[in-house]
Amino acid sequence: MKRIIAAIAACALVAGVLIAIPGCGPNNEELIREAVTERYDAYKQADDVTLSRIVTSLENEGLAELGIDDTEFATAVVEGFDYHIDDIVVNGNEAVVTITFAGKSYTDLLSEIASTTETLANDPSFAALSQEERLATAGTMVMNAFDGLEVKNETVDLDYELVDNKWQEADEQVGLQELDNILFAK
């Protein structure tokens, strides 16, 4: 009788272990979701490392001439940035992640700057300003244009791959190019 109870208990224990094994760790979809979240939350939260990375990419863009602080500009770039993971399709060691990003429209920024520039060009008081004052006015105009931009959504598909048991973007350059498009959603 004790052997039967021991055998039943052993079978129940083995069955419990077998049921628990598939749920022990995160699945590929969860791991990909974590990788995407780790990457894009930094932009969403505008952390110092991310802002520094954006500032570095802005070097030699003439912002200082306009009296625009690099960090202030980088903060304006990511203001309103958000994302939502819409779908993850895993196929072996590869995956396609569909993400909807929210960001400011670069096209709208250029349009706003062109419109304001035309207005300033026709303003006699602007023409009377010194070169430094005109540059400072233009810098203020750019930052004001950023403040007034509407946040728009853009949906993109990003390829991910499993490398050394870690999910990452398949082509970092494509990812960086998409991020540039996302931060200035078209």
Side-chain angles (χ1 to χ4, degrees):
M1 182 72 147
K2 287 183 181 180
R3 286 184 185 177
I4 294 174
I5 293 175
I8 292 172
C11 286
L13 183 61
V14 169
V17 168
L18 291 176
I19 290 171
I21 286 176
C24 284
N27 64 28
N28 282 329
E29 186 174 322
E30 291 167 342
L31 292 171
I32 294 167
R33 191 172 296 278
E34 288 172 11
V36 170
T37 299
E38 181 180 327
R39 177 167 183 144
Y40 294 111
D41 268 4
Y43 290 93
K44 184 176 176 178
Q45 298 165 359
D47 68 24
D48 290 339
V49 172
T50 301
L51 291 178
S52 177
R53 210 176 293 142
I54 293 171
V55 165
T56 300
S57 72
L58 293 172
E59 288 178 358
N60 302 318
E61 294 295 325
L63 296 176
E65 292 175 9
L66 297 174
I68 298 173
D69 177 73
D70 291 341
T71 303
E72 181 184 355
F73 188 83
T75 302
V77 167
V78 295
E79 183 182 4
F81 174 79
D82 204 353
Y83 69 95
H84 180 268
I85 302 169
D86 300 320
D87 193 27
I88 299 173
V89 178
V90 180
N91 186 10
N93 291 340
E94 298 176 350
V96 175
V97 182
T98 303
I99 306 173
T100 298
F101 290 96
K104 296 180 179 179
S105 170
Y106 186 59
T107 304
D108 289 353
L109 176 63
L110 293 179
S111 176
E112 183 66 27
I113 289 172
S115 173
T116 304
T117 301
E118 183 178 332
T119 301
L120 290 175
N122 294 323
D123 182 355
S125 64
F126 182 75
L129 297 175
S130 70
Q131 179 69 13
E132 287 178 1
E133 291 171 325
R134 280 185 282 196
L135 288 173
T137 301
T140 301
M141 173 197 69
V142 168
M143 293 309 295
N144 288 341
F146 253 123
D147 290 341
L149 288 179
E150 177 184 346
V151 174
K152 295 185 175 180
N153 293 325
E154 180 178 347
T155 301
V156 297
D157 289 332
L158 296 176
D159 294 325
Y160 273 71
E161 64 184 356
L162 186 62
V163 176
D164 297 328
N165 292 322
K166 185 176 179 183
W167 285 97
Q168 62 188 28
E169 286 183 21
D171 184 343
E172 185 80 14
Q173 291 305 317
V174 170
L176 291 173
Q177 188 174 22
E178 286 294 333
L179 185 58
D180 186 42
N181 291 338
I182 292 157
L183 290 175
F184 291 109
K186 304 242 178 203

